[in-house]
Structures are given as C-alpha cells and as structure tokens.
Amino acid sequence: MKLKPEVAVWETTLRCNLRCSHCGSVAGDARTDELSTKECFSLIEQLADLGCKDVSLMGGEPFIRDDWQALGSCVKDLGMSLCMVSNGILVPKYIGEISSLEPKVVGISVDGMKASHEKIRGKGTFDRTMKAVDLLLEKGIQTTLITTISQINFKDLPQMADMIKGRGCNWQIQTAMPFGNFSRDLLISEEDYYASAMFIAKQRINNKFEDLPVIGSHCYGYFSKVLPGCKWDGCTAGLRSIGITSNGGIVGCLSMGNERFIEGNVRKRSLKDIWEDPNSFAYNRKFTKKDLGPNCIKCRYGKKCKGGCNSVSISLTDRFHNDPYCFRRIEKDIIGI
C-alpha cells in the first residue's frame, strides 16, 4: 500500500513571544531563512497532492506570522483539515479570524496550575492563556489543553483535573524530554511516568468522557498488563505523519530534535520526491526486529511496538526503537508484575 503523509505538523515559524523552559525547539527568534508566503502556498499544495488530511500549524507561535490566516485558508481551500497549536497569548487578538477558519481543533499549552505554568512560561501567562481557552470554547471551537509534565508540574495533575472537568475541552498529557531548553534534571522518573498513566486511567474510570476527555500523547501506550487502552502500533513518523521546519526541512517528527533527522528540504527537492524516496525515513520504513535496542529486543511485542516512541527513545538513549518509558518494562523490571 502506498504511504501517505496523512498528518503534517508544521513549525511555520521559530519566532515566539514566550521563552518556555521546556521548549524542545528553543523557540524565540525566527530563522533567518524561513519559508516565504509563496513557498508556503506551494508546500500546502504539495501536501494536498500527496493526500494529506490534517495540517497542524504550530511554532514557535504560529499567530506571530503575518500570513497565518492566509496559510490556514489555503489549507482549508485545498480540502484538508486545519489544526493549530498555540500558547494562547495572541488568541484574544485574533479570535474572530480563528473562528472564521473553522479549525478542526486548536491546541493550547497549559502547563500546570498558575504557579507551575508561570514558572515554565513566564509571569502573567496563566490568566491570559485560560482567557484564550474560554474564548475558543465560547466560539464553539474544539479545544485541547496540552500539558507537558515534568517535576515542576507533575503534582498539579489532580488540581488540573478539577479545573478542566466540565469545561468542554479535551486534555492531552505528554512528558517533557531532555532536548532543547529542557533540563534532564527535571525529567519525571519512570515511576512517576507510570503514575501519570494510572492518573489518566483513573480519570477515565471516575468521569464520563464528555466531562473530562483526557488522553496520553504519543509517549503513552505500551502493552501494560494492568492499565487499559495500552495498544501501540509503532511510531508513525515517515509512515503516516510528517514534520516540517520553518525553513522547509522535512522530518518524520518534529519532536525528534527538530533538525537532527532532516530527510530533505522543499527548496531543493519536491515534497513528493522526498516522501517517495526509498531511502527516506529508513528508521521506520526499513525497520526489522533486529533494530530494537537493549530495552526492547527481548520483548514479545517488540516487532509490533517497534520500541515505542522514537522521540523519547532518541532523547533518552540516543538511538531509535529503545524507549525506556514503557509500561510493560516498568511493570516487569521495577514493579515486579
């Protein structure tokens, strides 16, 4: 079956109005060679031609680009779903324009209760971010709160559940990894990682999904004996998903260190040429069981799981297919189940 990049996550600019302590992209200043509006339009056309279904505009901060609305309109005009990921600060300024685009979902980063969120994202950001969430919900826009957990905000999860319950938004929990601005010293332990999964499971048991729809991100889901919903069909980077840097670099996933695994650049080769190159995304497309790292090589699910999230695996072990943050491994080696 011919592979299609069904989901594209596009860092439209590296420029950002915040300086978050866990930012993997080290966002702040724009790259000097970011794609022009004309080049962006061409890229969107190429995504549509390849059969992409969802395009997610992110940054940096996507609403800083002067042409963000034109890019969003182009995505919609070519029949693809539009998603956006923002820190929320500029949402009140542009709420009318955002609403007119009718995005599939807008993700807003909310990293803990006020003290924790502002320790990570800066003084005065929490109230402004929550105002953005309220405005999006008032407009009937599907909104997902994205919480990246570390030692700074792990303890806030129960309070956050109380704050979010019944608001009508989704909640995505993911783990901070030691690349970019984030310090390895603040990484949650394997035990706390497992506890966060138990927390997600508990919320699903105690609450109706429409009251508190909470999910674990791509860094959750590895064949637990105890926790529900832990199936995993392997990393989708270069198989069904694609990442795009603001200067046209093509990667399987932006979370794998952004520029570490560039397969090509759309200024030099067409997106179709890069995507269909038999040597592109070899870590996933040419995967065999022998590629599993020492954490995964003996696991009965290794061939199916492919060693978990490659972003986590690369960040923690400097190799693919070797994710140590695995429910199955933690239950066996630490908990003794």
Side-chain angles (χ1 to χ4, degrees):
M1 185 174 68
K2 189 174 181 180
L3 297 174
K4 294 182 179 181
E6 297 176 3
V7 177
V9 180
W10 184 4
E11 170 210 86
T12 56
T13 180
L14 201 58
R15 187 181 171 197
C16 190
N17 49 358
L18 298 182
R19 302 292 187 272
C20 303
S21 62
H22 64 207
C23 180
S25 301
V26 197
D29 297 326
R31 289 185 173 91
T32 58
D33 60 345
E34 294 188 336
L35 297 179
S36 67
T37 302
K38 183 178 179 180
E39 289 173 317
C40 288
F41 286 158
S42 174
L43 177 56
I44 295 168
E45 291 172 357
Q46 292 179 68
L47 285 167
D49 288 343
L50 281 175
C52 186
K53 296 178 180 178
D54 293 333
V55 179
S56 181
L57 306 183
M58 58 178 293
E61 173 53 43
F63 297 127
I64 283 183
R65 273 194 73 124
D66 293 336
D67 58 1
W68 70 266
Q69 190 176 3
L71 302 186
S73 294
C74 186
V75 169
K76 295 293 295 289
D77 290 345
L78 292 178
M80 295 177 286
S81 294
L82 173 66
C83 308
M84 300 173 176
V85 180
S86 169
N87 59 40
I89 301 301
L90 293 175
V91 166
K93 180 178 179 180
Y94 296 121
I95 188 62
E97 292 87 343
I98 295 169
S99 180
S100 69
L101 285 172
E102 298 182 336
K104 179 179 179 180
V105 62
V106 176
I108 300 293
S109 299
V110 181
D111 288 311
M113 300 303 291
K114 186 170 184 175
S116 298
H117 179 93
E118 296 193 352
K119 183 174 182 180
I120 293 167
R121 294 185 168 266
K123 186 174 177 60
T125 56
F126 181 79
D127 290 340
R128 297 173 73 184
T129 298
M130 294 311 298
K131 179 181 179 181
V133 172
D134 290 339
L135 287 173
L136 290 166
L137 294 173
E138 286 173 11
K139 291 290 186 179
I141 298 170
Q142 183 177 342
T143 305
T144 296
L145 307 191
I146 303 171
T147 301
T148 304
I149 55 174
S150 65
Q151 290 185 32
I152 295 173
N153 58 7
F154 176 75
K155 65 183 184 305
D156 289 4
L157 292 178
Q159 285 180 278
M160 291 191 72
D162 292 338
M163 177 183 72
I164 296 169
K165 183 178 179 181
R167 294 179 71 100
C169 52
N170 306 320
W171 188 18
Q172 176 179 302
I173 297 174
Q174 58 194 32
T175 54
M177 284 293 118
F179 64 92
N181 287 344
F182 186 69
S183 170
R184 184 179 286 263
D185 294 341
L186 296 174
L187 182 70
I188 61 170
S189 66
E190 293 176 356
E191 293 86 348
D192 284 346
Y193 167 74
Y194 193 84
S196 70
M198 293 181 68
F199 170 81
I200 293 171
K202 180 182 177 182
Q203 302 312 309
R204 290 177 176 173
I205 293 169
N206 290 353
N207 300 287
K208 294 180 180 178
F209 188 75
E210 57 266 28
D211 292 334
L212 187 62
V214 55
I215 62 169
S217 187
H218 54 274
C219 50
Y220 287 86
Y222 313 131
F223 301 96
S224 168
K225 289 184 177 180
V226 178
L227 299 168
C230 291
K231 295 180 180 179
W232 174 257
D233 293 322
C235 172
T236 64
L239 300 176
R240 297 191 302 277
S241 60
I242 192 171
I244 307 166
T245 68
S246 62
N247 59 352
I250 301 301
V251 295
C253 173
L254 288 172
S255 295
M256 294 194 308
N258 208 327
E259 295 186 343
R260 288 187 66 186
F261 303 101
I262 298 288
E263 305 289 345
N265 191 291
V266 294
R267 283 185 169 133
K268 297 179 180 179
R269 302 166 63 193
S270 71
L271 182 60
K272 183 177 189 293
D273 185 32
I274 297 170
W275 180 260
E276 295 183 353
D277 188 327
N279 295 313
S280 291
F281 315 103
Y283 52 87
N284 269 348
R285 293 184 180 179
K286 297 183 179 182
F287 169 83
T288 64
K289 195 169 188 237
K290 65 179 176 56
D291 295 319
L292 293 170
N295 288 322
C296 308
I297 189 66
K298 295 181 180 179
C299 180
R300 59 182 290 194
Y301 295 105
K303 188 174 181 180
K304 180 178 178 60
C305 177
K306 299 179 183 177
C309 173
N310 274 321
S311 170
V312 177
S313 183
I314 284 290
S315 297
L316 296 182
T317 71
D318 204 32
R319 64 172 295 166
F320 292 114
H321 314 298
N322 192 45
D323 185 353
Y325 276 43
C326 165
F327 299 149
R328 189 82 176 180
R329 192 189 72 80
I330 292 170
E331 287 172 350
K332 177 178 178 293
D333 296 345
I334 298 178
I335 302 175
I337 298 176

